[in-house]
Amino acid sequence: AQSVSQHNHHVILSEAASLELGCNYSYGGTVNLFWYVQYPGQHLQLLLKYFSGDPLVKGIKGFEAEFIKSKFSFNLRKPSVQWSDTAEYFCAVNAGNMLTFGGGTRLMVKP
Amino acid sequence: KAGVTQTPRYLIKTRGQQVTLSCSPISGHRSVSWYQQTPGQGLQFLFEYFSETQRNKGNFPGRFSGRQFSNSRSEMNVSTLELGDSALYLCASSLTGRRDTEAFFGQGTRLTVV
């Protein structure tokens, strides 16, 4: 069975700081990778996804992630965060018919 | 197009009761999945339905069950509620449910068991 771990449970940044959230997964076969975001009081929304091809994927709102197969990692990055990025971020993998989520990272951006 | 709709948004139930939650997927989506979200356990997969058939099931007791109708709408039922069942229950729909398709989530139903 697959598993996902997110290294940081809570992150506090000032506006304009750079962001990198770690995500590692465990699965021996082919997976598809996702980052979802949950803004306060809102539903989970897809930030970006990796299915195949270029391991550097770009998503909405200036987010990007890099898939490093040898490290089983899919880290999320943003060069300059904004106060509106305050949310909880979830990494997920799909090996077939179900998503397995990491524990989530709560990001607080101070204005 | 309309998103994933879950009803009701909030529920308060007593221990021992049962509850049914409803999910209407995005039009054309045939796969519906259910997840439980709690502060302690995070997001955990409950089950997935495709064309009225349960294709995958998470590690939850038999008190948790579901079904899918011919119009792809899905219901989830929890019997003999326990305090630990208090959670946000999320429904997600996708075209096929396969690993290379995107899942769209509803707002969730927040269940409180007292």
Side-chain angles (χ1 to χ4, degrees):
Chain A
Q2 62 265 33
S3 65
V4 181
S5 63
Q6 293 181 238
H7 316 303
N8 314 98
H9 298 293
H10 293 89
V11 173
I12 301 174
L13 294 172
S14 298
E15 274 194 317
S18 64
L19 170 72
E20 180 159 4
L21 302 182
C23 171
N24 285 92
Y25 68 93
S26 173
Y27 185 71
T30 303
V31 296
N32 293 105
L33 300 157
F34 305 82
W35 275 97
Y36 281 87
V37 61
Q38 191 172 35
Y39 297 103
Q42 296 190 25
H43 62 282
L44 276 169
Q45 301 171 43
L46 183 69
L47 267 180
L48 47 77
K49 60 193 177 192
Y50 174 79
F51 289 168
S52 64
D54 188 345
L56 184 62
V57 292
K58 296 191 184 300
I60 60 171
K61 305 186 181 186
F63 286 91
E64 64 179 31
E66 185 176 14
F67 169 54
I68 302 179
K69 189 174 181 179
S70 61
K71 295 184 178 181
F72 296 91
S73 71
F74 190 55
N75 293 351
L76 181 71
R77 299 194 291 249
K78 186 171 184 179
S80 176
V81 294
Q82 302 173 306
W83 176 78
S84 58
D85 293 325
T86 294
E88 189 160 15
Y89 294 80
F90 294 92
C91 179
V93 302
N94 190 340
N97 301 337
M98 62 176 278
L99 284 166
T100 299
F101 287 89
T105 298
R106 287 188 181 272
L107 171 66
M108 178 184 293
V109 180
K110 299 184 295 183
Chain B
K1 57 183 176 183
V4 179
T5 304
Q6 291 187 246
T7 57
R9 291 290 312 279
Y10 302 92
L11 267 178
I12 300 176
K13 290 286 188 179
T14 305
R15 266 184 306 176
Q17 287 186 313
Q18 77 164 21
V19 66
T20 300
L21 314 181
S22 180
C23 172
S24 292
I26 291 172
S27 177
H29 285 192
R30 295 170 65 191
S31 167
V32 174
S33 300
W34 289 88
Y35 295 83
Q36 182 195 64
Q37 186 175 20
T38 60
Q41 299 297 319
L43 279 153
Q44 293 186 289
F45 171 76
L46 279 155
F47 27 67
E48 187 256 357
Y49 287 87
F50 180 83
S51 292
E52 302 179 66
T53 300
Q54 185 183 91
R55 291 196 299 191
N56 208 346
K57 189 176 191 305
N59 190 25
F60 278 82
R63 300 185 296 106
F64 291 81
S65 63
R67 59 179 176 168
Q68 186 181 34
F69 302 95
S70 57
N71 61 359
S72 294
R73 191 177 70 85
S74 177
E75 287 182 347
M76 187 191 111
N77 184 275
V78 187
S79 63
T80 320
L81 284 165
E82 300 176 0
L83 295 178
D85 297 333
S86 295
L88 181 66
Y89 290 89
L90 297 173
C91 168
S93 79
S94 70
L95 279 169
T96 65
R98 284 172 25 190
R99 59 181 174 83
D100 58 352
T101 56
E102 178 183 344
F104 294 83
F105 284 81
Q107 296 264 41
T109 294
R110 184 163 297 281
L111 171 65
T112 302
V113 182
V114 297

